[in-house]
Amino acid sequence: MTRTDPADVPFPNAQLHFGVFFQGVNHWTIWSDPSSGSQIDPESYRRVARAAERGLFDAFFLGEGLRLREVDGRIHDLDVAGRPDAITQLAALAAQTDRIGLVSTSNTTFNEPADLARRLSGLDLLSGGRAGWNVVTTDNAWTGANFRRGGYLDHADRYRRAERFLTVARAIWDGWSDDAVAGGTDAPYWSAPGSVARVREHGGQFDVDLAPTLPRSVQGHPVIFQAGDSAEGRDFAARNADVIFSAHGTEFDDALAFATDIRNRLRAAGRPADDLRILPGTEMIIGATEEDAREKARWVRFAQVTPATALNVAGLLWNIDLSDRDADGPLPAEDPVIVENTGAFGARRIADPRAVVAEWRAKAEANGWSLRETVIALGPQRGHVGTPSGLADKFARFARHGAVDGFNITPYLIPDGLDDIVDLLVPELQERGLYRTAYTGGTLREHLGLRPPLTHRHGAGRRAG
Ligand SMILES: Cc1cc2nc3c(=O)[nH]c(=O)nc-3n(C[C@H](O)[C@H](O)[C@H](O)COP(=O)(O)O)c2cc1C
């Protein structure tokens, strides 16, 4: 690939922002390699966060799964499991890092705003303005079975609740005026009378009446991330988010189409098109030569999709327990069983299993693939494979055409999976003027180059002192 001439592109000064997504539940993190560390040892989190900070990343990011996944009542034990509460985990990391942002995925369906907003502002304050909140609505009834209300809401209600939830959270974060706390020991009050506003919200889904317990952090509010790909999710992001964690970062055309759609929605919501950063989740596999990188990717895929994982993934497509089959043998001869989506497991929601199985059969036959090879070739495709300079050129094109603002990187090895990226890719990006050479700010909002929180613009919402 030839280098992009910055003069010919719509965003010649684009900068890439990197986050690291430490995954908790997945089969993409290889746990079976001799270099693999524990998924639940705090030392693993610390090492990944410190590597990311060495690489001048914007953020360390955690997803949320409130329950171990199950299929037909059995724990889905191929997932790499073990997930402490994200805010607790990030609070520990706040003490072990200096600059990197700390982003918690926390859902609005099963939490309550008074509690979650307070915990997030605690993280924001304790970390010196480095907190982010990835707002999700969580797409399964099976998580809701853990909660008092039996917790599932339909899609539209989940987004309605999310919108109101965020409004209440922002009111809580704005409860203290800027001069609420005594400026010195000679002030007559520690907290001036009338400087803390009550937040009241009754009716609808919430019952809130409180005086917030904390002042704002130096970044104003935690940075709002959003992950959810439906039209409602995208509009919610356009109205509310600072960052979108998307699934559109592998193919250039798909990434650009997504970014264009989001920019249109932002304008429709009355916001400038550059008001939001788009960071797709992605994997990066780096080799010294293109051939090395391809060879490494092959190793990574076979380590990720073990025989047992292949049978499990195929079992979810066929809706048949295939655990006693041979993953290195042919595809199951049976037709898939069509079951109603119970909401019990996301992977069950394959829209037309018959069509997918027919495609898998045709391609497996044409290429002589085993079941495992078919799962690897035709299962979800992830990420970018190449040399440091090849990937830097590729990402320059993505960034300078406005297809992405960076990536939320999922390392396939814990805890050392970021080293190639930090040591080999980052310098190539820096050489192309695409990546910072030092942190210039202290807060997550500053790292991302964001404007003040939405409710603080034009004097709206923020209480005068
Ligand atoms: C890239 C991405 C990451 C997500 N991560 C999580 C997560 O960690 N925890 C969770 O409960 N939901 C997660 N979700 C799903 C969200 O709960 C999302 O709100 C849900 O899919 C419903 O929204 P949608 O219909 O707009 O996609 C994620 C979604 C996307 C697109």
Side-chain angles (χ1 to χ4, degrees), residues 17-19 56-60 99-101 436 439 444 447-448:
H17 300 269
F18 281 173
L56 306 172
F57 280 35
D58 290 44
F60 179 97
R99 304 297 279 270
I100 195 162
R436 66 169 61 92
Y439 285 115
L444 177 56
H447 298 337
L448 288 159

Side-chain angles (χ1 to χ4, degrees), residues 15-19 277-282 399 403-408:
Q15 292 289 296
L16 282 166
H17 300 269
F18 281 173
R277 307 279 169 268
I278 299 173
L279 305 187
T282 195
V404 303
D405 295 295
F407 295 100
N408 206 12

Side-chain angles (χ1 to χ4, degrees), residues 1-2 133 136 153 188 197 329 334 421 446:
M1 184 184 293
T2 54
W133 172 21
V136 297
L153 296 171
E334 301 95 314
I421 293 160
E446 287 168 335

